Amino acid sequence: MGDHDTVRVRLRAALCADDPWTALYALHSQNTDRPGPLAGAVEELYRSDTDHTAFRPYLTWLLRSLGEPGDVVLLRLLATPGLAGDDRQDLLRTAVVRGLRLPAGLLRTYAQDAPGSSGGNAGTGGSPAPELVDAMGLSGDPSFAPLLGALLKDPAAPRGRAALALGRQGARAWTAPIAGRLSEVTGLDHTAFTVALELMGDPAAVPPLLRWLAECGEERVYDVHHALVRLTGRDPLLPERATGAAYAAAVRAAWADGRTERASAVVRDLVVESCARARFSVDEGAGRIRVNFDPPSPGSSWPRWDRCLTFDRKPLYRVGSLCDTCELGLTLLDWPDDEAARIAARMRGRLADLDRLDTELLSEWSPVLGELETGHYRALLLDLPLEQVAEPTRSWWYRRAAARAEADGDDGERPEYDRPEDYWPGVAHFQLTAPVPGGRVPFTYGALLPSQPPEALDPATVARHAAAVAAGERPAAVVLGWIDDRYVEALHEERWLVGAILDGHHRLAAYAAAGVPARVLLLARVGEGCGADGGLEGLAEVAAVYGCRE
């Protein structure tokens, strides 16, 4: 039996299994290195009249998961003449999720023939289906802009998606109509309209946003503030942990004078609480190192969802969503430019043997701290027991599932398709040797991820720091971090101390090799607005266990 026949037989067996989704996930995992034959088998079944109707959801899921070979099949299937309406809709949704740029002629044909979301036909007065609107935005064809713009005023249309489609196209002629209709939309549509203005990057949106900020209800203030920060670069400091009416009032006051130019960053409200704890605030921070929302994923109903840790707007790690019942996972995307290391190195002089925090030290570092995102911060000087992990099976990203199973009384046996590498952040990193003891949350894990390739570390420099550690010195690393609280699947409380190493990769490697707790200066931003709790409890627990002692 040939390779194609073998894959086809296995695909059909998975589709007919008692649990098709589990079987298909296992089949996909077995074919990640050679997705082409599986994509071909999917296409063959999809073109079979007897198979594709029953198996359609499974087949399109596979196409979405197979990367470029799946995309090629998707485009061929979409170009098939006389596609049934359900097939066309399913394939188009899948193409949108993949972010494919479909031919404009194909989309015009669909706009004429496809049933609209309001029950009519796009060619006879009905609204196009949401996936068609998304595809028009991805097409890059400006001829769709008038059709998309007409949807903005139709309450029965997917007008939030239409606004995002125009934003993706950068159709600035529609900046004013989108901004002018903010008072007409609510909920996710309001968020979509403001995100669309962010995607446009058009300064003409700023005056109507300022006017709307003064009038809108408090539930819409966050969206408008976020858009103003993105469009102007100005990021005023708001009160720590302000929520609801207090948050809305603070945002309005910050923009009340109409000023939109970003001022120089100022580090203020510096208070040293002990040798190991301090607090400070950054006003008008440069935001060169920050966690940003990603542009909205095509096809998603959530205009703001995934986030990335970025340096100079270049994504370093995908951080995932704010959803507190989802599992936290980080994924390496790219390394920052050399400027990242140069900025962090400006703190290095006092890090050679750091044993306490003081006002002079933090004031000296103010120019570097001003490169951070506007907000309120805690500085903690910690001695963290760290190990370096290069194998997915040793990482807490994977091992945490065993802890959950033990807590639930399960045997901990994991299905074959549940691979350790699927949880791996994509790079060797440092982690706490054990969960933080004594905390309210049963499992508090810790992971510090690099901002430069681990293989680029200089062994001689690591050895030099190891000798200093052996001699009793405590060179410190600088980490930008935060506390992430989750209630995974509404069943398991889980907390993470997460950090990105700004400076000190060689020092951390030396500590881990010596088995000596690593001296770490943690800079952690605490939350403000939009329901963020700032992770203050978690930071206090970490400081209580690992805080540097006098």
Side-chain angles (χ1 to χ4, degrees):
M1 183 181 292
D3 187 53
H4 173 75
D5 292 333
T6 300
V7 171
R8 183 180 57 190
V9 168
R10 290 177 177 171
L11 173 58
R12 186 177 292 278
L15 291 166
C16 296
D18 292 337
D19 183 356
W21 288 116
T22 298
L24 288 169
Y25 192 91
L27 179 65
H28 174 259
S29 299
Q30 295 161 6
N31 287 272
T32 52
D33 295 335
R34 299 176 63 249
L38 183 54
V42 171
E43 180 176 11
E44 185 175 318
L45 287 185
Y46 204 98
R47 292 187 183 277
S48 166
D49 291 338
T50 58
D51 292 321
H52 88 277
T53 301
F55 298 143
R56 184 193 299 121
Y58 306 115
L59 296 175
T60 48
W61 175 83
L62 275 171
L63 290 177
R64 191 173 71 226
S65 307
L66 290 173
E68 186 175 343
D71 295 343
V72 172
V73 171
L74 263 174
L75 292 172
R76 278 203 299 263
L77 291 173
L78 278 164
T80 303
L83 269 181
D86 288 345
D87 292 333
R88 177 172 50 204
Q89 183 181 55
D90 201 39
L91 291 169
L92 188 56
R93 285 175 178 168
T94 306
V96 164
V97 170
R98 288 290 301 158
L100 299 183
R101 187 168 179 165
L102 300 177
L106 177 67
L107 297 180
R108 290 192 189 95
T109 299
Y110 282 9
Q112 292 169 359
D113 299 339
S117 60
S118 60
N121 289 337
T124 58
S127 299
E131 62 272 8
L132 183 54
V133 172
D134 294 333
M136 289 175 177
L138 291 168
S139 73
D141 191 317
S143 69
F144 290 123
L147 187 153
L148 294 169
L151 300 179
L152 299 175
K153 60 186 178 183
D154 181 1
R159 51 185 179 173
R161 289 177 183 254
L164 290 173
L166 291 164
R168 289 190 180 101
Q169 288 203 356
R172 289 190 172 187
W174 294 93
T175 295
I178 292 173
R181 294 190 178 278
L182 283 171
S183 61
E184 301 174 10
V185 290
T186 59
L188 290 177
D189 276 348
H190 186 269
T191 303
F193 273 48
T194 55
V195 171
L197 295 174
E198 294 174 16
L199 294 175
M200 295 278 195
D202 188 352
V206 173
L209 281 170
L210 289 171
R211 290 192 294 270
W212 177 231
L213 178 63
E215 304 168 5
C216 67
E218 68 180 54
E219 74 281 359
R220 306 185 194 186
V221 165
Y222 176 81
D223 284 336
V224 182
H225 173 62
H226 193 280
L228 285 169
V229 171
R230 282 292 185 94
L231 291 170
T232 67
R234 182 180 173 231
D235 195 357
L237 182 67
L238 302 174
E240 184 176 321
R241 305 186 75 195
T243 59
Y247 172 81
V251 170
R252 289 189 176 106
W255 295 96
D257 61 2
R259 182 169 60 88
T260 57
E261 302 81 13
R262 188 176 75 84
S264 299
V266 176
V267 177
R268 61 172 80 252
D269 305 326
L270 174 59
V271 177
V272 176
E273 299 173 339
S274 71
C275 69
R277 299 183 63 167
R279 65 174 66 196
F280 64 92
S281 299
V282 178
D283 193 2
E284 298 284 9
R288 298 184 66 180
I289 309 166
R290 68 188 304 159
V291 175
N292 268 334
F293 279 108
D294 294 344
S297 299
S300 172
S301 58
W302 296 93
R304 302 194 202 276
W305 188 254
D306 283 326
R307 301 166 299 153
C308 283
L309 176 65
T310 64
F311 193 96
D312 281 343
R313 299 190 177 185
K314 182 178 183 180
L316 277 67
Y317 287 95
R318 179 175 293 112
V319 178
S321 75
L322 288 168
C323 173
D324 61 1
T325 60
C326 296
E327 190 171 60
L328 174 66
L330 270 71
T331 306
L332 176 68
L333 297 174
D334 202 354
W335 298 114
D337 299 327
D338 291 342
E339 182 66 11
R342 285 195 289 270
I343 290 174
R346 288 153 61 187
M347 304 175 73
R348 198 168 290 166
R350 291 283 300 274
L351 295 174
D353 189 15
L354 185 62
D355 61 358
R356 63 180 296 110
L357 297 179
D358 57 54
T359 304
E360 180 184 357
L361 173 72
L362 293 170
S363 298
E364 177 186 325
W365 285 342
S366 288
V368 180
L369 300 178
E371 304 284 4
L372 300 175
E373 180 181 6
T374 290
H376 304 277
Y377 289 81
R378 300 295 185 269
L380 303 179
L381 190 59
L382 307 170
D383 287 327
L384 298 177
L386 297 176
E387 59 183 352
Q388 190 166 17
V389 288
E391 295 294 330
T393 53
R394 291 184 54 214
S395 172
W396 288 119
W397 301 108
Y398 179 70
R399 291 165 57 193
R400 59 185 170 181
R404 291 180 202 149
E406 182 178 352
D408 289 343
D410 296 341
D411 58 15
E413 186 174 343
R414 303 171 82 151
E416 180 182 347
Y417 65 80
D418 194 20
R419 305 179 307 165
E421 53 266 35
D422 292 336
Y423 299 83
W424 182 243
V427 64
H429 56 276
F430 300 95
Q431 66 180 20
L432 292 177
T433 55
V436 180
R440 179 185 62 79
V441 177
F443 297 104
T444 298
Y445 304 103
L448 307 184
L449 291 102
S451 60
Q452 60 179 265
E455 59 271 18
L457 296 186
D458 175 32
T461 304
V462 174
R464 176 167 53 82
H465 286 301
V469 170
E473 297 179 15
R474 290 297 177 262
V478 182
V479 172
L480 177 67
W482 66 93
I483 293 290
D484 189 290
D485 277 333
R486 303 282 167 145
Y487 190 31
V488 180
E489 297 177 351
L491 293 173
H492 302 280
E493 283 190 283
E494 188 174 281
R495 175 176 282 165
W496 282 85
L497 168 64
V498 186
I501 304 165
L502 300 184
D503 187 61
H505 295 78
H506 293 88
R507 279 157 266 168
L508 294 178
Y511 279 118
V516 174
R519 184 66 50 87
V520 171
L521 174 60
L522 177 72
L523 306 175
R525 184 174 182 265
V526 296
E528 58 190 30
C530 209
D533 66 6
L536 291 172
E537 179 187 71
L539 289 173
E541 291 176 355
V542 168
V545 177
Y546 302 120
C548 179
R549 312 297 182 201
E550 289 193 77

